[in-house]
Amino acid sequence: MTHEERVPVQTTGNNMSSYEEARSHFDWKQVEQTFSWHHTGKVNAAYEAIDRHVEAGKGNKTALIYSDAVREERYTFLQLKEKSNQFGNVLRKLGVSKGDRVFVFMPRTPELYVSVLGTIKIGAIIGPLFEAFMEAAVKDRLENSEAVALVTTPALLERVPVDALPHLKHIILVGAVGELVEGYYSFEEEMSQASSDLDIEWVDREDPMIIHYTSGSTGKPKGVLHVHNAMIQHYQTGKWVLDLQDDDIYWCTADPGWVTGTSYGIFAPWLNGVTNVVRGGRFSPDDWYQTLEKYKVTVWYSAPTAFRMLMSAGESVVKKYDLSSVRHVLSVGEPLNPEVVRWGLKTYGKRIHDNWWMTETGGILISNYPQMEIKPGSMGKPFPGIHAAIIDDEGNELPPYTMGNLAIRTPWPSMMRQIWKNPEKYQEYFRIPGWYVSGDSAYMDEDGYFWFQGRLDDVINTSGERVGPFEVESKLVEHHAVAEAGVIGKPDAIRGEIIKAFIALREGYEPSEELKEEIRQFVKTRLAAHAAPREIEFRDKLPKTRSGKIMRRVLKAWELGLPTGDLSTMED
Ligand code: 6R9
């Protein structure tokens, strides 16, 4: 198993001299010196992200370019400083204080970003909820976190079972009209009365900052808690992975309801003082290319599903737009198929830089860097200061090309510090002394690149051969008729498991037995006979999470006729 395909280095003028050198000299303590707490011992991540730049004379620089179908607004660092101060005062007036949980449940708008920053400034813990959640999902999260305040809209309020949430005392409504009863406040009115001077709550670096709920394979969603200290990682990965430079126009397409939308949609860009583009509304290829063109985006961080959708929309759409401003493209969240990397090179003339991390890790841990060759299909190498390894269940590091647990030596700045009210679940991640066990399986090659194989429980064993579903899915989407594919192991009396593929076809293709056979042969001849799906089922759509991951466990449940479990994170 060797990987000969390489994509050479493309950009110049980036922040990291060379990967090896950065790694050999790296010290997190030096990174800290960028921030004021280096002098005071106390910190506030929202101050470091916004106010620090105002004090450095960059108050008039554009911090946020917001647009959707009806609004288009720009905010400077000074304006964000003042608005977040106002919001901090709004919360203080309601009696919200350090350590309280404040949630936002609303579409991506400037008010959302102001609420997040203002909450953090008073030392309260922010909890972002994705706007597509329905009542049960909202309730689980607000109940578990015992949130005291919620910022939402009148339309979304219908999905908040307020009477069943005794801790929830304050509802702040963005865009409310008419009289409000006790406990309900108008965001606009409260803001207009609040001072734009705020006594920032200076906290300890280990004090809580943000809680993100994420689903496991079992049980209710877990509240993953991060502390202010995570900003060190957000800042430095922003510099070296996103390659953020002073005049960049940066666009992260993720919603702040998911960790990518906060770590890299709020903290990393603003800690680095760059202009952050936020585009509201739904995905469409034209809308996205227009956004890149109109705002002259230079750094673009998105996800494999989006790239695959852009790929199926075709090259003719790309040709309608001037995308020449784009310098650096990145991807996270699920495996980035080599086919997509090749397509990106051909169509955009750009390398797509895959990187790996999780809600629990708070920030990027493994990545392809601008100054490194890319091996398409690989997630790249560990961030300087991070020791990643493939280990067995006893904690022994395994040699190259051996599949095992993808694990990280503890700790690192943005490592989660708690699963909210669930210490047992937290401990499960650290069950092997000295390691964080990710639950992903991977292997490392002889050059130190990491290759994702699957969630540990998804790996297929057929006739004694281990097959990573990702490899099969990657091959399947290279077939011209296949838009998306999800692969599971189906129990089989003779072979242990056989490989079953669920496939959504591209526009213009019809399901047929001939096509199934053609696709099967395609995998058989291009990957391996044992990796070819014995069964193929065509579906109009595959079940995916809001962040775009194909939910294999739902496919498996369909297959076995079992209940599908918690679907609160499923798209539509
Ligand atoms: C940031 C984010 C984490 C899980 C992770 C893994 C998968 C993330 C990936 C990737 C292959 C990559 N994942 N990045 N798989 N290649 N580059 O996505 O967080 O939503 O918590 O998901 O996503 O399985 O364990 P989260």
Side-chain angles (χ1 to χ4, degrees), residues 218-253:
T218 55
K220 294 217 170 186
K222 302 174 273 195
V224 173
L225 184 80
H226 290 289
V227 299
H228 284 252
N229 192 59
M231 58 178 276
I232 301 172
Q233 190 125 13
H234 298 150
Y235 170 77
Q236 196 62 26
T237 52
K239 213 167 228 28
W240 283 353
V241 180
L242 308 179
D243 195 38
L244 295 176
Q245 297 166 35
D246 208 39
D247 52 0
D248 271 321
I249 309 286
Y250 167 77
W251 183 30
C252 169
T253 61

mmCIF file of all heavy atoms in Angstrom, residues 218-253:
data_model
loop_
_atom_site.group_PDB
_atom_site.id
_atom_site.type_symbol
_atom_site.label_atom_id
_atom_site.label_comp_id
_atom_site.label_asym_id
_atom_site.label_seq_id
_atom_site.Cartn_x
_atom_site.Cartn_y
_atom_site.Cartn_z
ATOM 1 N N THR A 218 -24.701 6.490 20.640
ATOM 2 C CA THR A 218 -25.772 6.097 21.565
ATOM 3 C C THR A 218 -26.133 7.268 22.457
ATOM 4 O O THR A 218 -25.344 8.199 22.617
ATOM 5 C CB THR A 218 -25.316 4.952 22.491
ATOM 6 O OG1 THR A 218 -24.118 5.374 23.153
ATOM 7 C CG2 THR A 218 -25.057 3.676 21.725
ATOM 8 N N GLY A 219 -27.298 7.204 23.035
ATOM 9 C CA GLY A 219 -27.699 8.162 24.061
ATOM 10 C C GLY A 219 -28.017 9.548 23.541
ATOM 11 O O GLY A 219 -28.002 9.797 22.336
ATOM 12 N N LYS A 220 -28.283 10.438 24.481
ATOM 13 C CA LYS A 220 -28.632 11.813 24.128
ATOM 14 C C LYS A 220 -27.373 12.568 23.699
ATOM 15 O O LYS A 220 -26.265 12.154 23.998
ATOM 16 C CB LYS A 220 -29.256 12.500 25.350
ATOM 17 C CG LYS A 220 -30.583 11.878 25.725
ATOM 18 C CD LYS A 220 -31.582 12.923 26.205
ATOM 19 C CE LYS A 220 -32.950 12.270 26.326
ATOM 20 N NZ LYS A 220 -34.015 13.181 26.649
ATOM 21 N N PRO A 221 -27.568 13.705 23.044
ATOM 22 C CA PRO A 221 -26.395 14.487 22.634
ATOM 23 C C PRO A 221 -25.546 14.904 23.828
ATOM 24 O O PRO A 221 -26.054 15.139 24.915
ATOM 25 C CB PRO A 221 -26.998 15.704 21.942
ATOM 26 C CG PRO A 221 -28.468 15.584 22.020
ATOM 27 C CD PRO A 221 -28.827 14.270 22.570
ATOM 28 N N LYS A 222 -24.241 14.967 23.572
ATOM 29 C CA LYS A 222 -23.285 15.284 24.636
ATOM 30 C C LYS A 222 -22.903 16.759 24.569
ATOM 31 O O LYS A 222 -22.602 17.261 23.490
ATOM 32 C CB LYS A 222 -22.007 14.453 24.461
ATOM 33 C CG LYS A 222 -22.229 12.972 24.456
ATOM 34 C CD LYS A 222 -20.949 12.222 24.138
ATOM 35 C CE LYS A 222 -20.729 12.056 22.650
ATOM 36 N NZ LYS A 222 -19.704 11.063 22.314
ATOM 37 N N GLY A 223 -22.872 17.415 25.722
ATOM 38 C CA GLY A 223 -22.487 18.833 25.773
ATOM 39 C C GLY A 223 -20.986 18.948 25.937
ATOM 40 O O GLY A 223 -20.442 18.812 27.032
ATOM 41 N N VAL A 224 -20.298 19.230 24.840
ATOM 42 C CA VAL A 224 -18.838 19.306 24.855
ATOM 43 C C VAL A 224 -18.416 20.723 25.261
ATOM 44 O O VAL A 224 -18.767 21.687 24.591
ATOM 45 C CB VAL A 224 -18.276 18.954 23.466
ATOM 46 C CG1 VAL A 224 -16.778 19.202 23.404
ATOM 47 C CG2 VAL A 224 -18.603 17.501 23.115
ATOM 48 N N LEU A 225 -17.694 20.813 26.373
ATOM 49 C CA LEU A 225 -17.358 22.129 26.928
ATOM 50 C C LEU A 225 -15.911 22.541 26.616
ATOM 51 O O LEU A 225 -14.981 21.773 26.842
ATOM 52 C CB LEU A 225 -17.547 22.103 28.442
ATOM 53 C CG LEU A 225 -17.313 23.448 29.128
ATOM 54 C CD1 LEU A 225 -18.533 24.338 28.989
ATOM 55 C CD2 LEU A 225 -16.960 23.251 30.592
ATOM 56 N N HIS A 226 -15.770 23.769 26.125
ATOM 57 C CA HIS A 226 -14.447 24.331 25.859
ATOM 58 C C HIS A 226 -14.209 25.580 26.697
ATOM 59 O O HIS A 226 -15.146 26.288 27.033
ATOM 60 C CB HIS A 226 -14.302 24.674 24.372
ATOM 61 C CG HIS A 226 -14.225 23.452 23.503
ATOM 62 N ND1 HIS A 226 -13.120 22.638 23.487
ATOM 63 C CD2 HIS A 226 -15.124 22.880 22.663
ATOM 64 C CE1 HIS A 226 -13.340 21.625 22.656
ATOM 65 N NE2 HIS A 226 -14.554 21.742 22.145
ATOM 66 N N VAL A 227 -12.936 25.840 26.997
ATOM 67 C CA VAL A 227 -12.564 26.963 27.853
ATOM 68 C C VAL A 227 -11.882 28.064 27.036
ATOM 69 O O VAL A 227 -11.529 27.858 25.872
ATOM 70 C CB VAL A 227 -11.641 26.483 29.008
ATOM 71 C CG1 VAL A 227 -12.372 25.464 29.884
ATOM 72 C CG2 VAL A 227 -10.337 25.893 28.464
ATOM 73 N N HIS A 228 -11.704 29.220 27.654
ATOM 74 C CA HIS A 228 -11.095 30.367 26.959
ATOM 75 C C HIS A 228 -9.721 30.039 26.374
ATOM 76 O O HIS A 228 -9.335 30.552 25.337
ATOM 77 C CB HIS A 228 -10.987 31.556 27.926
ATOM 78 C CG HIS A 228 -12.301 32.235 28.168
ATOM 79 N ND1 HIS A 228 -12.609 33.478 27.660
ATOM 80 C CD2 HIS A 228 -13.405 31.831 28.828
ATOM 81 C CE1 HIS A 228 -13.844 33.815 28.016
ATOM 82 N NE2 HIS A 228 -14.352 32.835 28.738
ATOM 83 N N ASN A 229 -9.009 29.154 27.053
ATOM 84 C CA ASN A 229 -7.668 28.764 26.610
ATOM 85 C C ASN A 229 -7.637 28.209 25.181
ATOM 86 O O ASN A 229 -6.603 28.241 24.515
ATOM 87 C CB ASN A 229 -7.149 27.696 27.586
ATOM 88 C CG ASN A 229 -5.680 27.420 27.417
ATOM 89 O OD1 ASN A 229 -4.868 28.329 27.560
ATOM 90 N ND2 ASN A 229 -5.343 26.192 27.092
ATOM 91 N N ALA A 230 -8.790 27.715 24.695
ATOM 92 C CA ALA A 230 -8.864 27.149 23.339
ATOM 93 C C ALA A 230 -8.428 28.168 22.289
ATOM 94 O O ALA A 230 -7.990 27.803 21.196
ATOM 95 C CB ALA A 230 -10.292 26.677 23.048
ATOM 96 N N MET A 231 -8.552 29.447 22.632
ATOM 97 C CA MET A 231 -8.209 30.494 21.662
ATOM 98 C C MET A 231 -6.767 30.407 21.156
ATOM 99 O O MET A 231 -6.474 30.825 20.034
ATOM 100 C CB MET A 231 -8.450 31.871 22.266
ATOM 101 C CG MET A 231 -7.662 32.095 23.537
ATOM 102 S SD MET A 231 -7.934 33.736 24.196
ATOM 103 C CE MET A 231 -6.763 34.620 23.218
ATOM 104 N N ILE A 232 -5.888 29.865 21.960
ATOM 105 C CA ILE A 232 -4.491 29.738 21.523
ATOM 106 C C ILE A 232 -4.421 28.860 20.269
ATOM 107 O O ILE A 232 -3.732 29.163 19.302
ATOM 108 C CB ILE A 232 -3.632 29.109 22.644
ATOM 109 C CG1 ILE A 232 -3.697 29.960 23.898
ATOM 110 C CG2 ILE A 232 -2.193 28.927 22.188
ATOM 111 C CD1 ILE A 232 -3.027 29.300 25.084
ATOM 112 N N GLN A 233 -5.190 27.764 20.323
ATOM 113 C CA GLN A 233 -5.219 26.848 19.185
ATOM 114 C C GLN A 233 -5.968 27.452 17.993
ATOM 115 O O GLN A 233 -5.541 27.312 16.849
ATOM 116 C CB GLN A 233 -5.917 25.546 19.615
ATOM 117 C CG GLN A 233 -5.787 24.453 18.587
ATOM 118 C CD GLN A 233 -5.188 23.212 19.184
ATOM 119 O OE1 GLN A 233 -5.089 23.078 20.409
ATOM 120 N NE2 GLN A 233 -4.767 22.290 18.357
ATOM 121 N N HIS A 234 -7.070 28.145 18.281
ATOM 122 C CA HIS A 234 -7.822 28.777 17.195
ATOM 123 C C HIS A 234 -6.924 29.784 16.461
ATOM 124 O O HIS A 234 -6.914 29.857 15.237
ATOM 125 C CB HIS A 234 -9.052 29.524 17.746
ATOM 126 C CG HIS A 234 -10.033 28.611 18.427
ATOM 127 N ND1 HIS A 234 -10.834 29.026 19.465
ATOM 128 C CD2 HIS A 234 -10.336 27.302 18.223
ATOM 129 C CE1 HIS A 234 -11.592 28.017 19.856
ATOM 130 N NE2 HIS A 234 -11.302 26.962 19.123
ATOM 131 N N TYR A 235 -6.191 30.528 17.235
ATOM 132 C CA TYR A 235 -5.329 31.555 16.661
ATOM 133 C C TYR A 235 -4.224 30.940 15.797
ATOM 134 O O TYR A 235 -4.037 31.306 14.637
ATOM 135 C CB TYR A 235 -4.717 32.383 17.791
ATOM 136 C CG TYR A 235 -3.629 33.332 17.334
ATOM 137 C CD1 TYR A 235 -3.951 34.528 16.696
ATOM 138 C CD2 TYR A 235 -2.283 33.030 17.535
ATOM 139 C CE1 TYR A 235 -2.963 35.397 16.265
ATOM 140 C CE2 TYR A 235 -1.288 33.892 17.112
ATOM 141 C CZ TYR A 235 -1.627 35.075 16.478
ATOM 142 O OH TYR A 235 -0.646 35.922 16.050
ATOM 143 N N GLN A 236 -3.512 29.981 16.354
ATOM 144 C CA GLN A 236 -2.331 29.477 15.645
ATOM 145 C C GLN A 236 -2.695 28.575 14.466
ATOM 146 O O GLN A 236 -2.008 28.598 13.443
ATOM 147 C CB GLN A 236 -1.394 28.758 16.633
ATOM 148 C CG GLN A 236 0.008 28.535 16.094
ATOM 149 C CD GLN A 236 0.746 29.844 15.780
ATOM 150 O OE1 GLN A 236 0.453 30.890 16.371
ATOM 151 N NE2 GLN A 236 1.685 29.799 14.828
ATOM 152 N N THR A 237 -3.785 27.808 14.587
ATOM 153 C CA THR A 237 -4.215 27.016 13.427
ATOM 154 C C THR A 237 -4.764 27.958 12.354
ATOM 155 O O THR A 237 -4.613 27.692 11.157
ATOM 156 C CB THR A 237 -5.272 25.957 13.807
ATOM 157 O OG1 THR A 237 -6.335 26.599 14.526
ATOM 158 C CG2 THR A 237 -4.688 24.851 14.651
ATOM 159 N N GLY A 238 -5.366 29.070 12.787
ATOM 160 C CA GLY A 238 -5.817 30.075 11.824
ATOM 161 C C GLY A 238 -4.643 30.593 11.011
ATOM 162 O O GLY A 238 -4.729 30.815 9.806
ATOM 163 N N LYS A 239 -3.536 30.777 11.685
ATOM 164 C CA LYS A 239 -2.342 31.306 11.018
ATOM 165 C C LYS A 239 -1.710 30.266 10.082
ATOM 166 O O LYS A 239 -1.397 30.569 8.940
ATOM 167 C CB LYS A 239 -1.335 31.705 12.094
ATOM 168 C CG LYS A 239 -0.497 32.882 11.710
ATOM 169 C CD LYS A 239 0.248 33.443 12.886
ATOM 170 C CE LYS A 239 0.135 34.946 12.997
ATOM 171 N NZ LYS A 239 -1.045 35.595 12.470
ATOM 172 N N TRP A 240 -1.539 29.079 10.573
ATOM 173 C CA TRP A 240 -0.746 28.097 9.823
ATOM 174 C C TRP A 240 -1.564 27.169 8.927
ATOM 175 O O TRP A 240 -1.044 26.655 7.949
ATOM 176 C CB TRP A 240 0.108 27.275 10.797
ATOM 177 C CG TRP A 240 1.316 28.041 11.277
ATOM 178 C CD1 TRP A 240 1.745 29.258 10.836
ATOM 179 C CD2 TRP A 240 2.250 27.625 12.264
ATOM 180 N NE1 TRP A 240 2.880 29.636 11.497
ATOM 181 C CE2 TRP A 240 3.216 28.643 12.390
ATOM 182 C CE3 TRP A 240 2.363 26.484 13.069
ATOM 183 C CZ2 TRP A 240 4.288 28.557 13.282
ATOM 184 C CZ3 TRP A 240 3.439 26.404 13.954
ATOM 185 C CH2 TRP A 240 4.379 27.431 14.048
ATOM 186 N N VAL A 241 -2.815 26.910 9.313
ATOM 187 C CA VAL A 241 -3.628 26.023 8.476
ATOM 188 C C VAL A 241 -4.490 26.843 7.509
ATOM 189 O O VAL A 241 -4.463 26.628 6.305
ATOM 190 C CB VAL A 241 -4.510 25.082 9.326
ATOM 191 C CG1 VAL A 241 -5.339 24.189 8.416
ATOM 192 C CG2 VAL A 241 -3.646 24.242 10.272
ATOM 193 N N LEU A 242 -5.222 27.821 8.059
ATOM 194 C CA LEU A 242 -6.023 28.684 7.179
ATOM 195 C C LEU A 242 -5.123 29.682 6.447
ATOM 196 O O LEU A 242 -5.557 30.333 5.508
ATOM 197 C CB LEU A 242 -7.091 29.437 7.981
ATOM 198 C CG LEU A 242 -8.000 28.599 8.895
ATOM 199 C CD1 LEU A 242 -8.975 29.497 9.636
ATOM 200 C CD2 LEU A 242 -8.742 27.533 8.128
ATOM 201 N N ASP A 243 -3.895 29.810 6.930
ATOM 202 C CA ASP A 243 -2.911 30.711 6.319
ATOM 203 C C ASP A 243 -3.394 32.165 6.339
ATOM 204 O O ASP A 243 -3.154 32.919 5.391
ATOM 205 C CB ASP A 243 -2.607 30.258 4.882
ATOM 206 C CG ASP A 243 -1.346 30.910 4.326
ATOM 207 O OD1 ASP A 243 -0.384 31.065 5.106
ATOM 208 O OD2 ASP A 243 -1.329 31.272 3.144
ATOM 209 N N LEU A 244 -4.081 32.563 7.402
ATOM 210 C CA LEU A 244 -4.673 33.903 7.459
ATOM 211 C C LEU A 244 -3.602 34.983 7.537
ATOM 212 O O LEU A 244 -2.689 34.917 8.360
ATOM 213 C CB LEU A 244 -5.617 34.010 8.656
ATOM 214 C CG LEU A 244 -6.848 33.109 8.570
ATOM 215 C CD1 LEU A 244 -7.672 33.207 9.854
ATOM 216 C CD2 LEU A 244 -7.703 33.442 7.350
ATOM 217 N N GLN A 245 -3.733 35.959 6.653
ATOM 218 C CA GLN A 245 -2.838 37.113 6.621
ATOM 219 C C GLN A 245 -3.682 38.373 6.684
ATOM 220 O O GLN A 245 -4.880 38.346 6.408
ATOM 221 C CB GLN A 245 -1.989 37.061 5.355
ATOM 222 C CG GLN A 245 -1.089 35.806 5.341
ATOM 223 C CD GLN A 245 -0.470 35.506 3.996
ATOM 224 O OE1 GLN A 245 -0.128 36.407 3.257
ATOM 225 N NE2 GLN A 245 -0.358 34.234 3.673
ATOM 226 N N ASP A 246 -3.030 39.469 7.028
ATOM 227 C CA ASP A 246 -3.747 40.681 7.397
ATOM 228 C C ASP A 246 -4.817 41.130 6.395
ATOM 229 O O ASP A 246 -5.894 41.563 6.777
ATOM 230 C CB ASP A 246 -2.740 41.807 7.622
ATOM 231 C CG ASP A 246 -3.296 42.803 8.625
ATOM 232 O OD1 ASP A 246 -3.937 42.348 9.603
ATOM 233 O OD2 ASP A 246 -3.122 44.011 8.406
ATOM 234 N N ASP A 247 -4.542 41.018 5.097
ATOM 235 C CA ASP A 247 -5.505 41.549 4.123
ATOM 236 C C ASP A 247 -6.434 40.473 3.559
ATOM 237 O O ASP A 247 -7.088 40.684 2.545
ATOM 238 C CB ASP A 247 -4.767 42.282 2.995
ATOM 239 C CG ASP A 247 -3.670 41.409 2.397
ATOM 240 O OD1 ASP A 247 -3.501 40.263 2.874
ATOM 241 O OD2 ASP A 247 -2.980 41.861 1.465
ATOM 242 N N ASP A 248 -6.503 39.341 4.211
ATOM 243 C CA ASP A 248 -7.378 38.282 3.713
ATOM 244 C C ASP A 248 -8.859 38.606 3.893
ATOM 245 O O ASP A 248 -9.250 39.298 4.838
ATOM 246 C CB ASP A 248 -7.065 36.950 4.419
ATOM 247 C CG ASP A 248 -5.982 36.165 3.695
ATOM 248 O OD1 ASP A 248 -5.998 36.179 2.449
ATOM 249 O OD2 ASP A 248 -5.122 35.567 4.367
ATOM 250 N N ILE A 249 -9.644 38.079 2.957
ATOM 251 C CA ILE A 249 -11.102 38.054 3.085
ATOM 252 C C ILE A 249 -11.442 36.581 3.208
ATOM 253 O O ILE A 249 -11.235 35.808 2.270
ATOM 254 C CB ILE A 249 -11.807 38.630 1.827
ATOM 255 C CG1 ILE A 249 -11.238 39.987 1.436
ATOM 256 C CG2 ILE A 249 -13.318 38.668 2.036
ATOM 257 C CD1 ILE A 249 -11.649 41.124 2.318
ATOM 258 N N TYR A 250 -11.922 36.216 4.374
ATOM 259 C CA TYR A 250 -12.050 34.801 4.711
ATOM 260 C C TYR A 250 -13.522 34.401 4.767
ATOM 261 O O TYR A 250 -14.340 35.123 5.320
ATOM 262 C CB TYR A 250 -11.371 34.584 6.064
ATOM 263 C CG TYR A 250 -11.652 33.266 6.724
ATOM 264 C CD1 TYR A 250 -11.019 32.114 6.280
ATOM 265 C CD2 TYR A 250 -12.525 33.181 7.811
ATOM 266 C CE1 TYR A 250 -11.266 30.896 6.900
ATOM 267 C CE2 TYR A 250 -12.767 31.973 8.438
ATOM 268 C CZ TYR A 250 -12.141 30.830 7.981
ATOM 269 O OH TYR A 250 -12.387 29.638 8.598
ATOM 270 N N TRP A 251 -13.822 33.239 4.204
ATOM 271 C CA TRP A 251 -15.205 32.728 4.263
ATOM 272 C C TRP A 251 -15.230 31.283 4.712
ATOM 273 O O TRP A 251 -14.727 30.401 4.024
ATOM 274 C CB TRP A 251 -15.877 32.861 2.888
ATOM 275 C CG TRP A 251 -17.315 32.441 2.877
ATOM 276 C CD1 TRP A 251 -18.204 32.507 3.918
ATOM 277 C CD2 TRP A 251 -18.040 31.873 1.770
ATOM 278 N NE1 TRP A 251 -19.434 32.035 3.522
ATOM 279 C CE2 TRP A 251 -19.372 31.640 2.217
ATOM 280 C CE3 TRP A 251 -17.713 31.564 0.454
ATOM 281 C CZ2 TRP A 251 -20.347 31.098 1.383
ATOM 282 C CZ3 TRP A 251 -18.689 31.020 -0.377
ATOM 283 C CH2 TRP A 251 -19.997 30.798 0.086
ATOM 284 N N CYS A 252 -15.840 31.053 5.872
ATOM 285 C CA CYS A 252 -16.088 29.707 6.375
ATOM 286 C C CYS A 252 -17.576 29.462 6.171
ATOM 287 O O CYS A 252 -18.403 30.217 6.664
ATOM 288 C CB CYS A 252 -15.722 29.634 7.857
ATOM 289 S SG CYS A 252 -16.285 28.127 8.676
ATOM 290 N N THR A 253 -17.909 28.401 5.456
ATOM 291 C CA THR A 253 -19.318 28.210 5.088
ATOM 292 C C THR A 253 -20.143 27.536 6.193
ATOM 293 O O THR A 253 -21.348 27.376 6.042
ATOM 294 C CB THR A 253 -19.422 27.364 3.798
ATOM 295 O OG1 THR A 253 -18.833 26.082 4.037
ATOM 296 C CG2 THR A 253 -18.707 28.045 2.636
#
